[in-house]
Amino acid sequence: MKTNQVQNDTSKTEKHTPYIDVPSEVKVNEPFQVTVQVGKDIPHPNLVEHHIKWIQVFFEEEGRAFNPIHVATFDMGPTYAEPKVSFTMKVQKPGKLIALAYCNVHGLWENAVEIKAI
């Protein structure tokens, strides 16, 4: 798995790292919006020969014995589906939201953000 910290080529980092747009603080059991986008600053190619195949989202709940929890999977076809997804979720405890994105050429990429639940 690659993250923006382990890749020296910043042009690849910008195109492959899944960016997570989510409030840093949410209310317990209240729905909130999550957007995950691959290639936020520099668009990722969306060609048959080079594209984002899927995005998966997990939540690592604070204090839970078995983590992470699978939240969502989004499969994408090349040329038509852009690598940006939005969905609504809710949490009962604080934790870390993890996004994985799979590029058919450059492999698996990961990013994560902390979510405070009040």
Side-chain angles (χ1 to χ4, degrees):
M1 250 183 279
K2 299 171 188 84
T3 66
N4 56 351
Q5 288 84 25
V6 299
Q7 187 68 292
N8 293 329
D9 182 349
T10 57
S11 65
K12 287 184 181 173
T13 301
E14 294 302 323
K15 289 190 286 191
H16 291 91
T17 303
Y19 289 90
I20 305 166
D21 184 17
V22 62
S24 58
E25 187 173 284
V26 299
K27 293 184 179 178
V28 171
N29 286 324
E30 284 196 18
F32 59 92
Q33 188 76 18
V34 176
T35 299
V36 179
Q37 180 176 2
V38 179
K40 182 177 178 184
D41 297 325
I42 299 172
H44 188 280
N46 192 16
L47 308 167
V48 171
E49 58 274 7
H50 187 191
H51 62 277
I52 298 298
K53 183 73 176 151
W54 51 256
I55 294 172
Q56 291 185 338
V57 181
F58 296 85
F59 184 64
E60 194 171 281
E61 187 178 83
E62 188 176 285
R64 188 171 199 268
F66 300 101
N67 271 314
I69 304 157
H70 177 254
V71 177
T73 295
F74 301 92
D75 290 319
M76 286 162 235
T79 72
Y80 294 100
E82 293 296 322
K84 180 179 181 179
V85 296
S86 294
F87 63 97
T88 304
M89 67 177 285
K90 57 186 177 179
V91 297
Q92 296 175 1
K93 295 181 180 179
K96 181 169 51 172
L97 196 64
I98 304 163
L100 303 177
Y102 181 76
C103 172
N104 71 319
V105 174
H106 298 105
L108 191 58
W109 292 75
E110 173 187 21
N111 198 7
V113 295
E114 294 292 328
I115 296 177
K116 183 178 178 182
I118 54 170

